[in-house]
Amino acid sequence: MIQIDLSHIQCFLPLPYEAALSPRLRIGHGRLQKGDGIGGEFTGWVHLPTDYDREEFSRIKKAAGKIQSDSQALVVIGIGGSYLGARGVIECLCSPNYNLKKKDTPNIYFVGNGLSSEQLSETMALLDGVDFSVNVISKSGTTTEPAVAFRFFRRLLEEKYGKDEAAKRIYATTDRERGALKALADENGYETFVVPDDIGGRYSVLTAVGLLPIAVAGIDIDELMSGAAAMQEACRADDMAANPAWQYAAARYELYRSGKRIEILAAYEPSFRFMAEWWKQLYGESEGKENKGLFPASVEFTADLHSMGQYIQQGERHIFETVVRFGASADENPVPFDPSDGDGLNFLAGKSMDYIAAQAMDGTLLAHVEGGVPNIILRAGRKNAFTLGEMIYFFEYACGLSGYLLDVNPFDQPGVEAYKKNMFALLGKPGYEELRSQLLAKLGR
Ligand code: PA5
């Protein structure tokens, strides 16, 4: 179970805050559990790990098996909450180099998460001569980036296999009833999976949104759900000492109140990069509104100690770090002994890479705390599906609580609409004519 070590924030928060915050956390906790707080209609994820659609779960496994048997590649089309969780889990457990590895599962390409023409051409070129399937994921079914990408990959599939066979290779994860994608899926007979009404994009990784691509990569989704269920149970505790999400939410809120404005999520595993991207979206979209909220950033140590380390050590003191530490890795990799000792490293001979990393972690911790950067440490178990399931639920629950502590709706994202409206207007989408004239005038066109 994830343990939270708060001993390295205490000197920055001299007054006891836990007792003062507990009543407010208790209220937020009650609202999450009952789904009767602000945005409560989007709290389906709270009970999801123990209360999910078993029939759909089996269909996900079956579809994953079919994709594994008939495809050398899976193209996952989605943006934001419709892709970051799956990418985070796959890279963390199977490696950022997953596609380069020798394996008996398909390569996985994530597209539709931007508007890069270069990325589009590159992925299509990689699929030349390759049997592939497509999982298009969009809760609304109308988001421009994935919708445009789907046009390209659907055409590619239809040209390669014909319309009927292509339809058998398209899996649509979307709303149960609404949206253009659902209509397209029904019309063409694509297999569909549901993004439940009461679960928003960034809280959806443990639904078909994340589970289908994760299962295709060969990850044990039962274990992922078991880990999440174990954390769901821990997060039911109505008490600071027993509830890790309360502890994390309270600590980061109090640091925010003390003037810290940026939370940096740090990990010592390069494979954690997209889990951090998922975390940034989760917290950024959930808290950043009404002129409030910590700015979520991330670093990858020790690499970024040689780039961002200087700022963290001595820059403006408005940051704190949350450091994820995993248990021992499967490979020891002891440093080889070299009789010539030309590099002077024989003092490390026989020491495992984990041991060296642990000294780097402790050395960095002491330096950063000394430099004025509070450190929250999250001690996780070994990097596996169970641990990631725990971590996903932990971060989600603490995020919901954090939103309620800040008095914002942690489940909406009104600010995301602003750029979309402008983009539609500039692209000439019907219905946006007036806004288009205003924007063109502002741009001097
Ligand atoms: O968390 C969210 O709701 C968003 O990040 C969405 O996931 C993202 O905008 C994609 O939306 P959709 O799944 O409707 O295409």
Side-chain angles (χ1 to χ4, degrees), residues 266-340:
Y268 284 76
E269 284 297 338
S271 63
F272 196 73
R273 176 172 160 214
F274 268 88
M275 282 303 295
E277 295 300 323
W278 167 82
W279 171 88
K280 284 196 279 197
Q281 186 208 354
L282 182 63
Y283 280 81
E285 275 192 356
S286 299
E287 289 191 304
K289 49 198 76 159
E290 299 175 30
N291 303 319
K292 296 184 226 178
L294 280 158
F295 182 83
S298 64
V299 287
E300 180 193 311
F301 287 161
T302 62
D304 288 339
L305 288 172
H306 299 261
S307 56
M308 298 301 289
Q310 171 59 36
Y311 188 101
I312 295 172
Q313 188 70 43
Q314 294 183 325
E316 199 169 330
R317 302 297 71 189
H318 55 0
I319 55 181
F320 70 92
E321 289 173 295
T322 295
V323 183
V324 174
R325 291 190 181 195
F326 285 104
S329 51
D331 304 319
E332 286 246 311
N333 278 326
V335 174
F337 177 77
D338 177 356
S340 72

Side-chain angles (χ1 to χ4, degrees), residues 85-164:
R87 185 160 184 182
V89 172
I90 292 169
E91 291 208 1
C92 192
L93 297 182
C94 303
S95 160
N97 295 318
Y98 168 78
N99 283 350
L100 299 175
K101 287 169 94 171
K102 282 207 180 76
K103 57 190 180 298
D104 48 18
T105 50
N107 282 348
I108 297 183
Y109 300 111
F110 292 96
V111 300
N113 49 60
L115 290 167
S116 162
S117 186
E118 199 175 294
Q119 188 207 31
L120 187 68
S121 316
E122 186 181 87
T123 312
M124 290 197 293
L126 286 168
L127 292 170
D128 193 25
V130 168
D131 279 316
F132 71 101
S133 296
V134 167
N135 180 198
V136 52
I137 309 169
S138 176
K139 178 169 180 172
S140 62
T142 53
T143 307
T144 309
E145 291 89 336
V148 170
F150 186 42
R151 272 209 177 189
F152 284 92
F153 289 94
R154 195 170 75 227
R155 192 181 59 182
L156 206 62
L157 270 178
E158 288 175 356
E159 281 169 2
K160 188 174 167 83
Y161 299 103
K163 211 167 168 8
D164 288 351

Side-chain angles (χ1 to χ4, degrees), residues 100-406:
L100 299 175
K101 287 169 94 171
K102 282 207 180 76
K103 57 190 180 298
D104 48 18
T105 50
N107 282 348
I108 297 183
Y109 300 111
F110 292 96
V111 300
N113 49 60
L115 290 167
S116 162
S117 186
E118 199 175 294
Q119 188 207 31
L120 187 68
S121 316
E122 186 181 87
T123 312
M124 290 197 293
L126 286 168
L127 292 170
D128 193 25
V130 168
D131 279 316
F132 71 101
S133 296
V134 167
N135 180 198
V136 52
I137 309 169
S138 176
K139 178 169 180 172
S140 62
T142 53
T143 307
T144 309
E145 291 89 336
V148 170
F150 186 42
R151 272 209 177 189
F152 284 92
F153 289 94
R154 195 170 75 227
R155 192 181 59 182
L156 206 62
L157 270 178
E158 288 175 356
E159 281 169 2
K160 188 174 167 83
Y161 299 103
K163 211 167 168 8
D164 288 351
E165 178 58 24
K168 294 185 193 140
R169 291 174 170 270
I170 296 174
Y171 303 83
T173 307
T174 187
D175 187 86
R176 194 181 298 278
E177 286 167 2
R178 290 178 297 263
L181 179 56
K182 174 65 179 154
L184 208 56
D186 287 348
E187 191 186 315
N188 291 286
Y190 307 149
E191 177 156 17
T192 56
F193 296 98
V194 172
V195 192
D197 282 346
D198 56 0
I199 301 183
R202 59 190 176 274
Y203 292 84
S204 70
V205 52
L206 298 175
T207 70
V209 169
L211 294 178
L212 180 57
I214 290 170
V216 170
I219 294 166
D220 186 340
I221 58 173
D222 287 295
E223 274 294 287
L224 192 72
M225 293 307 274
S226 299
M231 186 54 79
Q232 179 191 336
E233 183 55 31
C235 289
R236 282 183 44 193
D238 185 4
D239 164 35
M240 184 75 85
N243 190 322
W246 280 38
Q247 293 162 27
Y248 177 51
R252 60 195 298 286
Y253 177 74
E254 200 57 18
L255 288 164
Y256 178 63
R257 276 197 349 116
S258 78
K260 302 301 178 194
R261 289 290 173 264
I262 297 171
E263 178 177 9
I264 303 178
L265 188 72
Y268 284 76
E269 284 297 338
S271 63
F272 196 73
R273 176 172 160 214
F274 268 88
M275 282 303 295
E277 295 300 323
W278 167 82
W279 171 88
K280 284 196 279 197
Q281 186 208 354
L282 182 63
Y283 280 81
E285 275 192 356
S286 299
E287 289 191 304
K289 49 198 76 159
E290 299 175 30
N291 303 319
K292 296 184 226 178
L294 280 158
F295 182 83
S298 64
V299 287
E300 180 193 311
F301 287 161
T302 62
D304 288 339
L305 288 172
H306 299 261
S307 56
M308 298 301 289
Q310 171 59 36
Y311 188 101
I312 295 172
Q313 188 70 43
Q314 294 183 325
E316 199 169 330
R317 302 297 71 189
H318 55 0
I319 55 181
F320 70 92
E321 289 173 295
T322 295
V323 183
V324 174
R325 291 190 181 195
F326 285 104
S329 51
D331 304 319
E332 286 246 311
N333 278 326
V335 174
F337 177 77
D338 177 356
S340 72
D341 199 23
D343 51 13
L345 282 181
N346 269 353
F347 73 100
L348 293 178
K351 303 271 195 310
S352 71
M353 288 301 287
D354 269 357
Y355 170 82
I356 298 172
Q359 311 321 304
M361 287 180 206
D362 286 343
T364 306
L365 167 71
L366 296 175
H368 287 185
V369 171
E370 180 77 22
V373 180
N375 266 235
I376 297 173
I377 300 175
L378 301 184
R379 292 183 204 284
R382 276 190 178 227
K383 195 155 66 75
N384 56 32
F386 187 91
T387 300
L388 278 203
E390 279 188 344
M391 191 176 283
I392 286 167
Y393 191 90
F394 162 77
F395 277 134
E396 288 179 350
Y397 203 80
C399 188
L401 288 173
S402 297
Y404 285 155
L405 281 176
L406 277 181

